[in-house]
Amino acid sequence: MTTFIGRARELSALDTLLKEARSGQGVLVSMRGRRQVGKSRLVSEFAERAGVPAVFFTASRQPAAVELALFDEAARTAGIASAASLPSDGAGSWEAALMLATTDAKPSRPVIVVIDEFPYLAESEPAIEAILQKVWHSLERRPVLVVLIGSDVSMMESLTSYQRPLYGRARELVVDPLSVADIAQMRGLEPAAALDAYMVIGGFPRLASRWRANDTVMTFVRRELADESSPFVVTGERTLAAEFPADLNARAVLIAIGVGERSHGTILDRSGVGRGTIDRALGVLADKRIVRRTNPYAEPASAKSPRYTVVDPYLRFWLRFVQPGIELISRGRADLATARIAEGWGPFRGKAVEQLVRDSMERLLPRPELGDARFVGSYWTKDNRVEVDLVGGRQPDRADVVEFVGSIKWRERASFGPADLGALAHARSLVPGVGPLTRLVGVSRSGFATGGLDLAVDPEMLVSAWERDPASNLS
């Protein structure tokens, strides 16, 4: 991929911050997002477009003295004039290095300083936050933009929290995975094919670059599994190793959720962790934004029967299909692993698409056809005898008044038909909070063969939801 696609919102936010820095007011940014989401590529693209000096340093868990020397070298190679006069043994301290790297900054030519993998630097130099706090008293009066990048979401989120050294000093910029609309544009895919691809590779640019325009899910999977070192095969394991280097309980719980377990009890049985540790493990997964915990989105609020799902589509697919097939792939039997995917893809896709549809539907709101709905969830009973794919309401966490209910039929060829409409109409009567004005919504991959719906949603509508201008992710 030579063309940079997407990230208009993030580029605009960074451009706004650089304009602020040009006024002579230093700006400090904490940028966070999942691994492989493209944070470094985003900042590199921004710096190149900005056309100003940029020091780009990536920490790598080296000893503190080595990390400092590497930063000095990054300043030299960035064309920072003052860095050229560095003594052979370097600046000597992070305070001196940061000051030296920004000495030449002028409003007409501000300096960008990027510290990538900031959590790794914090491991090597535990005082780095306090050092930045101290040096910022000087840097904030210079035309500089300092960007701290990290993939440890919980650590980066706490970086600007109360009583931390950088509280009140750093802005936060969240970089989400690419949207399904970005993937469709990047690979030239029709909406239905783009949604299927997204359920396999998620929004990771590196994985998207391997998807060919004429690929189906199975042609892509067959080609990728044939190479045990392909990014599609190894990225999942590297993610787990980075997120849970020693927390085997959290990893076991995540794998249980990944293979399809959704309730507290079934996750407990499948994971093999102790009853006393499962809640802590689930808490770790939620803190890292890897697992989402949801409750039935309807009254009564006291009926707690939460479900757990893996947030990232790629990791969900990898845990369900690739991770169990690693042994087969490593001994040259990728054909057997591929056959398992072919057998399980249909049922998996039918469930995996549900959260993607709900997220897309929320972006389409408000719509006149759907009343006052602003949020979308789903509804189920503890015994799972009643399950409704879509429930729309006015509040973020619960729907006292249900504006609409909906059904998702993500079949390869069969359209949304009269029997589906009848089942949805019956389900509407079983959801708490429905009324005479509660609308009916159908979502179908393969068209509609019935009337009677207040809104019929097709793949094109779902993908187009991600082309709309969202709110800024800069705080």
Side-chain angles (χ1 to χ4, degrees), residues 62-72 89 94 124-125:
Q62 302 278 354
V66 175
E67 298 281 24
L68 179 57
L70 291 172
F71 180 87
D72 290 338
D89 57 351
W94 278 102
S124 301
E125 179 53 85

PDB file of all heavy atoms in Angstrom, residues 62-72 89 94 124-125:
ATOM      1  N   GLN A  62      15.384  -1.414  26.119  1.00  0.00           N
ATOM      2  CA  GLN A  62      16.828  -1.454  26.338  1.00  0.00           C
ATOM      3  C   GLN A  62      17.140  -0.824  27.696  1.00  0.00           C
ATOM      4  O   GLN A  62      16.306  -0.143  28.292  1.00  0.00           O
ATOM      5  CB  GLN A  62      17.534  -0.668  25.236  1.00  0.00           C
ATOM      6  CG  GLN A  62      17.248  -1.152  23.827  1.00  0.00           C
ATOM      7  CD  GLN A  62      18.108  -2.344  23.456  1.00  0.00           C
ATOM      8  OE1 GLN A  62      18.986  -2.743  24.209  1.00  0.00           O
ATOM      9  NE2 GLN A  62      17.845  -2.910  22.300  1.00  0.00           N
ATOM     10  N   PRO A  63      18.350  -1.009  28.211  1.00  0.00           N
ATOM     11  CA  PRO A  63      18.746  -0.286  29.426  1.00  0.00           C
ATOM     12  C   PRO A  63      18.589   1.217  29.238  1.00  0.00           C
ATOM     13  O   PRO A  63      18.677   1.724  28.109  1.00  0.00           O
ATOM     14  CB  PRO A  63      20.214  -0.693  29.613  1.00  0.00           C
ATOM     15  CG  PRO A  63      20.322  -2.023  28.942  1.00  0.00           C
ATOM     16  CD  PRO A  63      19.399  -1.961  27.770  1.00  0.00           C
ATOM     17  N   ALA A  64      18.378   1.932  30.325  1.00  0.00           N
ATOM     18  CA  ALA A  64      18.064   3.361  30.259  1.00  0.00           C
ATOM     19  C   ALA A  64      19.125   4.143  29.479  1.00  0.00           C
ATOM     20  O   ALA A  64      18.786   5.029  28.678  1.00  0.00           O
ATOM     21  CB  ALA A  64      17.927   3.918  31.668  1.00  0.00           C
ATOM     22  N   ALA A  65      20.398   3.837  29.692  1.00  0.00           N
ATOM     23  CA  ALA A  65      21.459   4.573  29.004  1.00  0.00           C
ATOM     24  C   ALA A  65      21.415   4.337  27.500  1.00  0.00           C
ATOM     25  O   ALA A  65      21.669   5.245  26.700  1.00  0.00           O
ATOM     26  CB  ALA A  65      22.823   4.163  29.568  1.00  0.00           C
ATOM     27  N   VAL A  66      21.049   3.117  27.094  1.00  0.00           N
ATOM     28  CA  VAL A  66      20.959   2.806  25.668  1.00  0.00           C
ATOM     29  C   VAL A  66      19.783   3.543  25.038  1.00  0.00           C
ATOM     30  O   VAL A  66      19.888   4.095  23.937  1.00  0.00           O
ATOM     31  CB  VAL A  66      20.823   1.281  25.454  1.00  0.00           C
ATOM     32  CG1 VAL A  66      20.603   0.964  23.979  1.00  0.00           C
ATOM     33  CG2 VAL A  66      22.053   0.564  25.988  1.00  0.00           C
ATOM     34  N   GLU A  67      18.666   3.576  25.747  1.00  0.00           N
ATOM     35  CA  GLU A  67      17.489   4.288  25.232  1.00  0.00           C
ATOM     36  C   GLU A  67      17.813   5.773  25.023  1.00  0.00           C
ATOM     37  O   GLU A  67      17.445   6.361  23.998  1.00  0.00           O
ATOM     38  CB  GLU A  67      16.301   4.144  26.188  1.00  0.00           C
ATOM     39  CG  GLU A  67      15.816   2.725  26.401  1.00  0.00           C
ATOM     40  CD  GLU A  67      14.950   2.218  25.256  1.00  0.00           C
ATOM     41  OE1 GLU A  67      15.077   2.725  24.129  1.00  0.00           O
ATOM     42  OE2 GLU A  67      14.152   1.283  25.496  1.00  0.00           O
ATOM     43  N   LEU A  68      18.509   6.377  25.970  1.00  0.00           N
ATOM     44  CA  LEU A  68      18.864   7.788  25.856  1.00  0.00           C
ATOM     45  C   LEU A  68      19.798   8.020  24.670  1.00  0.00           C
ATOM     46  O   LEU A  68      19.626   8.987  23.911  1.00  0.00           O
ATOM     47  CB  LEU A  68      19.521   8.272  27.154  1.00  0.00           C
ATOM     48  CG  LEU A  68      19.975   9.735  27.181  1.00  0.00           C
ATOM     49  CD1 LEU A  68      18.813  10.682  26.882  1.00  0.00           C
ATOM     50  CD2 LEU A  68      20.607  10.061  28.538  1.00  0.00           C
ATOM     51  N   ALA A  69      20.749   7.120  24.484  1.00  0.00           N
ATOM     52  CA  ALA A  69      21.670   7.253  23.356  1.00  0.00           C
ATOM     53  C   ALA A  69      20.927   7.132  22.028  1.00  0.00           C
ATOM     54  O   ALA A  69      21.227   7.843  21.059  1.00  0.00           O
ATOM     55  CB  ALA A  69      22.771   6.198  23.458  1.00  0.00           C
ATOM     56  N   LEU A  70      19.938   6.252  21.975  1.00  0.00           N
ATOM     57  CA  LEU A  70      19.150   6.090  20.753  1.00  0.00           C
ATOM     58  C   LEU A  70      18.302   7.324  20.473  1.00  0.00           C
ATOM     59  O   LEU A  70      18.095   7.709  19.315  1.00  0.00           O
ATOM     60  CB  LEU A  70      18.275   4.846  20.863  1.00  0.00           C
ATOM     61  CG  LEU A  70      19.021   3.505  20.853  1.00  0.00           C
ATOM     62  CD1 LEU A  70      18.062   2.355  21.162  1.00  0.00           C
ATOM     63  CD2 LEU A  70      19.698   3.277  19.504  1.00  0.00           C
ATOM     64  N   PHE A  71      17.801   7.960  21.525  1.00  0.00           N
ATOM     65  CA  PHE A  71      17.060   9.207  21.329  1.00  0.00           C
ATOM     66  C   PHE A  71      17.989  10.291  20.769  1.00  0.00           C
ATOM     67  O   PHE A  71      17.605  11.040  19.858  1.00  0.00           O
ATOM     68  CB  PHE A  71      16.436   9.676  22.646  1.00  0.00           C
ATOM     69  CG  PHE A  71      15.667  10.961  22.515  1.00  0.00           C
ATOM     70  CD1 PHE A  71      14.330  10.957  22.140  1.00  0.00           C
ATOM     71  CD2 PHE A  71      16.284  12.181  22.753  1.00  0.00           C
ATOM     72  CE1 PHE A  71      13.621  12.139  21.999  1.00  0.00           C
ATOM     73  CE2 PHE A  71      15.587  13.375  22.614  1.00  0.00           C
ATOM     74  CZ  PHE A  71      14.251  13.357  22.234  1.00  0.00           C
ATOM     75  N   ASP A  72      19.184  10.390  21.328  1.00  0.00           N
ATOM     76  CA  ASP A  72      20.160  11.368  20.820  1.00  0.00           C
ATOM     77  C   ASP A  72      20.426  11.140  19.338  1.00  0.00           C
ATOM     78  O   ASP A  72      20.492  12.095  18.555  1.00  0.00           O
ATOM     79  CB  ASP A  72      21.470  11.268  21.607  1.00  0.00           C
ATOM     80  CG  ASP A  72      21.354  11.775  23.041  1.00  0.00           C
ATOM     81  OD1 ASP A  72      20.429  12.574  23.312  1.00  0.00           O
ATOM     82  OD2 ASP A  72      22.183  11.371  23.875  1.00  0.00           O
ATOM     83  N   ASP A  89      29.460  11.437  23.783  1.00  0.00           N
ATOM     84  CA  ASP A  89      28.796  10.615  24.790  1.00  0.00           C
ATOM     85  C   ASP A  89      27.341  11.023  25.001  1.00  0.00           C
ATOM     86  O   ASP A  89      26.684  10.582  25.949  1.00  0.00           O
ATOM     87  CB  ASP A  89      29.556  10.654  26.115  1.00  0.00           C
ATOM     88  CG  ASP A  89      29.712  12.077  26.640  1.00  0.00           C
ATOM     89  OD1 ASP A  89      29.386  13.027  25.897  1.00  0.00           O
ATOM     90  OD2 ASP A  89      30.146  12.232  27.796  1.00  0.00           O
ATOM     91  N   TRP A  94      17.892  12.886  30.130  1.00  0.00           N
ATOM     92  CA  TRP A  94      16.692  13.108  29.340  1.00  0.00           C
ATOM     93  C   TRP A  94      16.297  14.576  29.326  1.00  0.00           C
ATOM     94  O   TRP A  94      15.817  15.086  28.308  1.00  0.00           O
ATOM     95  CB  TRP A  94      15.543  12.245  29.870  1.00  0.00           C
ATOM     96  CG  TRP A  94      15.607  10.845  29.342  1.00  0.00           C
ATOM     97  CD1 TRP A  94      16.055   9.742  29.989  1.00  0.00           C
ATOM     98  CD2 TRP A  94      15.227  10.429  28.032  1.00  0.00           C
ATOM     99  NE1 TRP A  94      15.980   8.645  29.170  1.00  0.00           N
ATOM    100  CE2 TRP A  94      15.472   9.021  27.965  1.00  0.00           C
ATOM    101  CE3 TRP A  94      14.722  11.080  26.907  1.00  0.00           C
ATOM    102  CZ2 TRP A  94      15.217   8.288  26.807  1.00  0.00           C
ATOM    103  CZ3 TRP A  94      14.450  10.345  25.761  1.00  0.00           C
ATOM    104  CH2 TRP A  94      14.696   8.964  25.711  1.00  0.00           C
ATOM    105  N   SER A 124      12.206   1.070  31.397  1.00  0.00           N
ATOM    106  CA  SER A 124      13.653   1.270  31.499  1.00  0.00           C
ATOM    107  C   SER A 124      14.001   2.475  32.351  1.00  0.00           C
ATOM    108  O   SER A 124      15.016   2.470  33.067  1.00  0.00           O
ATOM    109  CB  SER A 124      14.252   1.449  30.094  1.00  0.00           C
ATOM    110  OG  SER A 124      14.005   0.334  29.281  1.00  0.00           O
ATOM    111  N   GLU A 125      13.195   3.516  32.253  1.00  0.00           N
ATOM    112  CA  GLU A 125      13.441   4.760  32.987  1.00  0.00           C
ATOM    113  C   GLU A 125      12.181   5.115  33.764  1.00  0.00           C
ATOM    114  O   GLU A 125      11.353   5.913  33.327  1.00  0.00           O
ATOM    115  CB  GLU A 125      13.801   5.880  32.000  1.00  0.00           C
ATOM    116  CG  GLU A 125      14.057   7.233  32.633  1.00  0.00           C
ATOM    117  CD  GLU A 125      15.081   7.176  33.749  1.00  0.00           C
ATOM    118  OE1 GLU A 125      16.267   7.247  33.439  1.00  0.00           O
ATOM    119  OE2 GLU A 125      14.656   7.038  34.926  1.00  0.00           O
TER     120      GLU A 125
END
